[in-house]
């Protein structure tokens, strides 16, 4: 088993990470990129090949440079990982192969008014059917990354908040899901997972950046030198609950004037619902679990040129810009990524407002102006990152042989 | 030379750090604490002893456990480091020996209205005379840590701000001081240096904590797992320039409602000066470079039971509390340290206000209530940390032999 921890396991982990990031790479490049010696790379790669985790894929001809290099890549079908992002109004499940490629995705309703028992049961059913449809054998699934809003206790796998309802506080989320699926489950924060997903997609073009995640609520994540900033207990970057200058609306966190209270979709939708003409024009429903759908209707109206929709979104974007300035000044970042389903339609409007706010107020701008991107994968970056978190951190040994009856699609070499 | 970087140098660095933190420690404990093998420790320690950096100091008798362990400690006089903290209204210089003990301290006026040329020349003169008085040979000084407010470009050794005046922006601070002293100079942020100083003093009793630094201005530092959080370019944790809810005063950074504008000593002093009765009672002078001295007069009046002084400081402490909540919620911290000369007299008043604000508003409090300490070394923690930064990061080889004429006090073994 190539477990995390220990010098040898650390080398295996770095080799697997680099192969996952690069796709195909030679032993020489592995040594160059990790700083490990050629001998260490040889000794690290050998058991990975023997275990069927890494395969050799032909040779890289190097004109005039002697023997061609043998190239390595991950055996995509060796293992899989599941990522589940769940929120009040939406949920996404993705299945990744061992190389980090997406082999299946499902978009589902969120928790809605349901309690954790019903939610976990429904998510487990969906995971079952998604694995079946993708032809992924259960015995080849390394684990599940469950991605929710914070604050969380990652070790115990519970939420430390009574959101979305009091029955969620301290409910044994990962324990119940693990028992139901017969698979290990890791809990992760939605914004951290989205940041991890973004980094692996290569979009931020830097290994130090911040991310603002907006779904029903607003969270934040920071990646420093390629790793998630976790602080004391992984409940960092609560950018949705910093009281902003000029803010006043009461927030579910008990404070007032937080970005989440001022800018999140429910506030924008509530404002539209307060004006009968606009509510009708945007076709917002006010349905209890339809906040993101209603928000998308307003965003589409903006896209179609509606000035009132633009004004509503700009009011929200003003607060996101202020939150981004705080994030950049406190974490010293030159890149901010906007991710999460709420940025899927009107991401460019938010991007332009955030860029303008950073231009005005970020202290570090003397070094270089902070950049702002909208995630190319705004809706499912968090679920994707949850599955990557499993691939990157769970102990991984030789995959079990598949019995004849079990499906084995998804990429034996 | 035991330079940073590379596996062998990394081991030497960790051994030196542990010896500096623990004072006296055996090879067996070094192996246990670093996770390195006994053989690596033996091979790492041997050249350090040969170079005169580490010495053996008798044996640790272990009843019934065979041969007594030989204990190791740093050779205190092998090298020294200088730390200089400078600000508009005050400056502190400290000299540490190789073991991190303070061998000399000087408190001086700050930059005042002077430009960087005059300031650097004066600081260099003071360093010269302090080294002479302490009997520290120049050839045994590893380097100087120069500690200022940010934002900075650490690599080029310049400020990226026109504070305290336009001639400071991009002035070659470390280059000029290094040339004048004939010693290498590292630039460091005041709050980061104070946090490093606090950690080495052991006061926070945790290796993940935040620090709010208040002198003329307000800065912040975060230590995570024993290392300074640096972000992209070491200009992180600008907690003095986050716009706070309810804040409105214009700030030197170009924003408004920042903690520095609302809470810093000059604002408190300006308020006292605005009321002739109070100004007279507190004996505030309004002298251009006397802000911290005036602030201390108000703090001493509070200590003597003056209710008006209490009200003024509480108004400032309210904003520091709000800044601490932001710091804790974004960096996920369970400890906040208050450091810097402005907390020297009224630190406990600020501590109580910050603790109450964190109790009300910190999201992570479900895990455990954040703690607040006032630095036991509020005035000189930053200079101390600047010198430690030199000891921890600069390449260190065998100290030169001292010629007979050069003084060699300060601890040859």
């Amino acid at each position: 088993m190539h477990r995390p921890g220990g010098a040898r396991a650390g080398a295996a982990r770095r080799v697997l990470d680099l192969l996952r990031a690069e796709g195909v790479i030679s032993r020489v490049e592995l040594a160059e990129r990790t700083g490990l010696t050629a001998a260490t790379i040889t000794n690290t790669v050998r058991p990975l090949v023997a275990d069927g985790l890494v395969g050799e894929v032909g040779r890289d001809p190097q004109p005039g440079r002697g023997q061609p290099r043998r190239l390595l890549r991950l055996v995509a079908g060796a293992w899989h990982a599941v990522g589940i992002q769940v929120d009040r109004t939406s949920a996404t499940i993705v299945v990744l192969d061992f190389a980090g490629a997406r082999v299946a995705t499902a978009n589902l309703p969120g928790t809605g008014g349901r309690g954790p028992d019903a939610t976990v049961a429904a998510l487990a059913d969906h995971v079952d059917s998604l694995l079946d449809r993708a032809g992924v054998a259960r015995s080849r699934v390394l684990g599940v990354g469950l991605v929710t809003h914070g604050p969380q206790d990652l070790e115990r796998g519970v939420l430390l908040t009574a959101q979305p309802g009091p029955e969620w506080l301290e409910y044994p989320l990962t324990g119940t899901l693990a028992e139901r699926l017969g698979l290990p489950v890791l809990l992760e924060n939605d914004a951290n997972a989205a940041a991890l997903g973004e980094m692996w997609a290569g979009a931020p073009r830097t290994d130090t950046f911040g991310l603002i995640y907006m779904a029903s609520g607003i969270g934040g994540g920071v990646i420093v030198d390629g790793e998630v900033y976790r602080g004391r207990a992984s409940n960092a970057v609560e950018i949705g609950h910093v009281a902003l200058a000029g803010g006043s609306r009461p927030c579910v966190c008990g404070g007032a004037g937080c970005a989440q209270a001022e800018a999140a979709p429910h506030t924008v939708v509530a404002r539209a619902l307060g004006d009968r003409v606009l509510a009708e024009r945007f076709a917002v429903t006010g349905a209890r679990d339809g906040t993101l759908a209603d928000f998308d209707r307003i965003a589409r109206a903006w896209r179609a040129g509606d000035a009132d929709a633009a004004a509503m979104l700009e009011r929200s974007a003003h607060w996101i810009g202020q939150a981004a300035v705080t994030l950049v000044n406190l974490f010293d970042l030159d890149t901010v990524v906007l991710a999460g389903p709420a940025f899927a339609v009107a991401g460019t409007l938010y991007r332009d407002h955030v860029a303008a706010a950073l231009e005005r107020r970020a202290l570090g701008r003397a070094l270089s102006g902070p950049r702002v991107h909208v995630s190319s994968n705004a809706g499912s970056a968090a679920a994707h990152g949850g599955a990557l978190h499993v691939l990157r951190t769970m102990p991984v040994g030789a995959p079990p042989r598949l019995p004849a009856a079990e499906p084995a699609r998804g990429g034996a070499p």
Side-chain angles (χ1 to χ4, degrees), chain A:
Chain A
M1 298 285 270
H2 312 286
R3 291 182 178 280
R8 178 154 304 187
R13 188 66 47 200
R14 283 156 76 189
V15 164
L16 293 174
D17 272 1
L18 256 179
L19 284 167
R20 192 168 290 122
E22 297 297 325
V24 169
I25 190 169
S26 69
R27 285 178 177 80
V28 173
E29 285 169 302
L30 277 175
E32 285 166 5
R33 295 281 299 273
T34 59
L36 297 170
T37 64
T40 301
I41 291 294
T42 300
N43 292 332
T44 302
V45 168
R46 193 183 301 116
L48 297 175
V49 171
D51 281 352
L53 299 172
V54 171
E56 293 190 334
V57 286
R59 288 162 185 272
D60 178 21
Q62 300 185 93
R65 293 179 61 189
Q67 209 188 351
R69 298 171 172 182
R70 276 179 297 183
L71 298 175
L72 303 170
R73 75 168 172 204
L74 295 184
V75 177
W79 288 102
H80 291 79
V82 176
I84 306 174
Q85 175 268 320
V86 61
D87 182 84
R88 194 168 59 79
T89 56
S90 73
T92 302
I93 305 177
V94 304
V95 181
L96 302 188
D97 66 22
F98 192 55
R102 194 180 291 201
V103 300
T105 307
N107 293 304
L108 313 165
T111 58
R114 290 177 303 175
D117 275 326
T119 299
V120 167
L123 288 172
D125 287 346
H126 283 291
V127 169
D128 280 340
S129 72
L130 195 63
L131 289 173
D132 283 350
R133 275 192 285 139
V136 172
R138 183 69 53 95
S139 62
R140 289 279 181 94
V141 177
L142 208 50
V144 177
L146 179 62
V147 174
T148 73
H149 59 282
Q152 308 160 317
D153 184 329
L154 296 191
E155 265 183 50
R156 293 190 297 128
V158 301
L159 294 185
L160 297 175
T161 167
Q163 300 301 327
E167 67 278 28
W168 290 83
L169 176 66
E170 295 277 347
Y171 176 87
L173 269 181
T174 60
T176 309
L177 185 60
E179 192 171 342
R180 167 65 184 73
L181 286 172
L183 290 168
V185 179
L186 300 179
L187 190 62
E188 180 57 290
N189 173 277
D190 47 18
N192 283 347
L196 199 59
E198 278 299 297
M199 185 180 60
W200 280 82
R205 290 191 292 276
T206 164
D207 64 355
T208 298
F209 66 95
L211 181 141
I212 295 179
Y213 187 83
M214 185 158 77
S216 301
I218 296 175
V222 168
I223 300 272
V224 181
D225 294 337
E227 294 296 335
V228 173
Y229 174 86
R230 294 200 177 271
R232 166 180 63 134
S234 293
N235 288 311
V237 202
E238 283 288 1
I239 193 71
H241 298 290
V242 167
L244 299 173
S248 61
R249 294 174 68 95
C251 182
V252 292
C253 74
C258 304
Q260 179 161 317
E262 302 290 346
H266 65 87
T267 301
V268 177
V269 171
R271 227 169 248 140
L273 286 168
D275 181 322
R276 217 170 47 185
V277 175
L278 292 183
E280 210 159 290
R281 199 197 310 156
F282 302 149
V284 291
T285 65
R288 184 180 153 78
D289 307 321
T291 305
L292 276 174
D294 278 346
F295 182 76
D296 278 357
R297 289 184 183 101
I298 299 169
R300 281 195 296 269
W302 161 73
R303 266 204 180 167
D306 189 297
D308 293 312
M312 284 187 161
L313 295 174
E314 281 162 5
R315 201 161 157 184
S316 160
H318 161 77
W319 300 108
I320 300 293
Q322 210 175 312
V325 168
T326 298
L327 191 66
V328 162
N329 286 346
L330 288 186
F331 285 92
D332 191 21
L333 307 166
D334 62 3
T335 300
V336 173
V337 177
L338 304 178
F343 292 118
V345 180
T348 54
L349 177 145
Y350 281 91
R351 181 198 63 205
D352 294 348
H353 271 69
V354 170
L358 288 174
E359 187 57 40
R360 281 196 306 274
R361 289 294 313 272
L363 295 175
R365 66 185 181 277
L367 277 170
S368 69
R371 289 183 297 273
V372 187
H373 304 292
V374 182
S375 167
S376 55
N377 187 17
S380 61
H384 195 107
L388 275 170
H389 181 50
V390 168
L391 292 176
R392 292 190 71 207
T393 59
M394 287 197 49
V396 47
R401 282 166 184 264
L402 296 177
E406 255 195 301
R409 290 211 313 271

